[in-house]
């Protein structure tokens, strides 16, 4: 049986001894979780609190999450957008109407109500929202949920 407390102490010790390497490794693991649409990244955000503390953990999570979702947004928009637009014309028209009516705050609301990150990112990549609006609203809406998770892990 794995002793979680001992494992966390060991991992924290490694982040203290090798802070830059640990942050880089954490960042790339977080990016992988986002790009492969793994649900529950909020748990990984809490781990940042355990490993890096509130300030460094929050900064690392906000940067990694925003970059990861932005990359996923760009990948989906560039590779799948035309194909899925043809397949789901009616459904995407409704989504685009909602985005046109609510825009920036609509995306912030989607993120804050707790929809899985990859669902929101995939839907927004298929919508008419601009990349700049997506990036800014993702950063703003990520702050409350992920910083609280980091705090809970610290």
């Amino acid at each position: 049986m794995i002793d979680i407390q001992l494992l966390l102490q060991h991992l924290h010790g490694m982040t203290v001894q090798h802070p830059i390497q640990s942050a880089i490794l954490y960042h790339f693991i977080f990016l992988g979780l986002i790009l492969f649409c793994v649900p529950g990244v909020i748990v990984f955000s809490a781990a940042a609190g355990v490993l890096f503390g509130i300030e460094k953990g929050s900064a690392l999570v906000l940067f990694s999450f925003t970059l990861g979702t932005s990359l996923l947004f760009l990948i989906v928009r560039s590779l799948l957008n035309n194909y899925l637009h043809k397949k789901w014309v009616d459904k995407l028209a409704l989504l685009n109407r909602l985005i046109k009516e609510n825009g920036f705050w609509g995306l912030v609301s989607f993120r804050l109500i707790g929809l899985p990150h990859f669902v929101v990112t995939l839907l927004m990549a298929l919508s008419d929202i601009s990349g700049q609006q997506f990036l800014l609203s993702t950063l703003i809406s990520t702050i409350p949920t992920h910083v609280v998770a980091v705090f809970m892990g610290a």
Side-chain angles (χ1 to χ4, degrees):
M1 184 111 163
I2 297 174
D3 183 0
I4 300 294
Q5 189 69 20
L6 185 62
L7 177 63
L8 290 175
Q9 287 174 350
H10 179 70
L11 289 173
H12 181 70
M14 289 181 67
T15 60
V16 170
Q17 290 176 351
H18 308 285
I20 293 174
Q21 295 92 332
S22 298
I24 291 170
L25 179 62
Y26 178 90
H27 171 72
F28 282 109
I29 291 171
F30 204 116
L31 283 180
L33 293 174
I34 292 191
L35 291 174
F36 289 105
C37 300
V38 175
V41 294
I42 199 79
V43 174
F44 207 63
S45 297
V50 172
L51 299 174
F52 302 102
I54 295 171
E55 295 86 13
K56 291 177 187 171
S58 295
L60 188 56
V61 164
L62 293 175
F63 175 72
S64 298
F65 186 83
T66 304
L67 179 62
T69 55
S70 297
L71 287 172
L72 182 59
F73 175 86
L74 292 172
I75 290 168
V76 170
R77 182 162 275 184
S78 63
L79 296 179
L80 299 174
N81 202 16
N82 289 336
Y83 171 73
L84 293 175
H85 262 282
K86 291 175 189 171
K87 191 171 180 134
W88 298 333
V89 174
D90 299 335
K91 292 172 183 74
L92 291 175
L94 174 63
L95 177 64
N96 284 324
R97 187 174 54 87
L98 290 171
I99 293 300
K100 187 174 267 186
E101 291 172 5
N102 301 308
F104 176 86
W105 294 110
L107 177 54
V108 170
S109 300
F110 279 145
R111 291 242 187 251
L112 291 177
I113 62 171
L115 289 174
H117 74 89
F118 61 90
V119 172
V120 175
T121 302
L122 295 174
L123 286 174
M124 292 304 114
L126 298 173
S127 76
D128 291 337
I129 195 168
S130 72
Q132 184 179 11
Q133 270 190 321
F134 177 82
L135 178 70
L136 186 59
S137 60
T138 296
L139 178 62
I140 289 171
S141 61
T142 299
I143 292 171
T145 54
H146 287 273
V147 170
V148 167
V150 170
F151 179 76
M152 296 301 287

